[in-house]
Amino acid sequence: MLIAGDLPLLLPGAAGTGALLGAAGHALARACGAGAGGLLPLAACGALGALPAALLLPPAAWLGAGALGTLLLAIARLDLVTGEVHAGLAGPLALLGLAQGFATGALALAAAGAAFGYLLCRLAEAGFRAATARDGLGRGDAWVLGAAGAWTGPGGTGPT
């Protein structure tokens, strides 16, 4: 349990760890084709994102949150630069969500959330195509929402 006296020690460590995770996300995105620029904003996003995680999550959840944050930052960077989401990033994100579900005894919910997220996005894709006769979403979007569903379960997929 956190106490107020722990915060001055915890927050700089969380920010530093988040910055390292942001740098790792940048490296992953580069490996998938995002090019060379833009490390500083990603590291800053990682640092800022780690602060609420450190305050809101128990220490046992920090590793999973770090993996989630790193992969999401990499996906965002790659999407920003190339306009694509690489399955090499979205796939592991989904697998980690399923592993977290297994570890917490909620594998069925994680699997249902992954399926729901993927199908929800594909339904939106099909509806947009039917209404406008053009593409509006890519399959990478469906992969990411499916991965988010694996982390949040079906009930959290919609708000995500």
Side-chain angles (χ1 to χ4, degrees), residues 28 63-72 89-103 107 110 147 150-151:
L28 284 170
L63 182 60
L68 173 68
T70 299
L71 286 168
L72 286 174
L89 296 173
L93 185 64
L95 290 175
L96 284 170
L98 292 170
Q100 180 226 5
F102 177 77
L107 180 58
W151 283 87

Side-chain angles (χ1 to χ4, degrees), residues 7-129:
L7 291 180
L9 299 173
L10 180 66
L11 294 182
T17 301
L20 289 174
L21 294 174
H26 173 75
L28 284 170
R30 282 190 64 191
C32 290
L39 175 60
L40 187 60
L42 213 57
C45 286
L48 291 174
L51 296 176
L55 292 172
L56 299 173
L57 297 174
W62 290 354
L63 182 60
L68 173 68
T70 299
L71 286 168
L72 286 174
L73 285 169
I75 288 169
R77 168 85 174 119
L78 184 64
D79 192 23
L80 179 68
V81 173
T82 68
E84 296 179 1
V85 174
H86 198 285
L89 296 173
L93 185 64
L95 290 175
L96 284 170
L98 292 170
Q100 180 226 5
F102 177 77
T104 60
L107 180 58
L109 281 175
F116 180 68
Y118 182 81
L119 293 173
L120 183 67
C121 201
R122 291 294 306 273
L123 182 64
E125 174 190 353
F128 185 84
R129 186 177 297 122

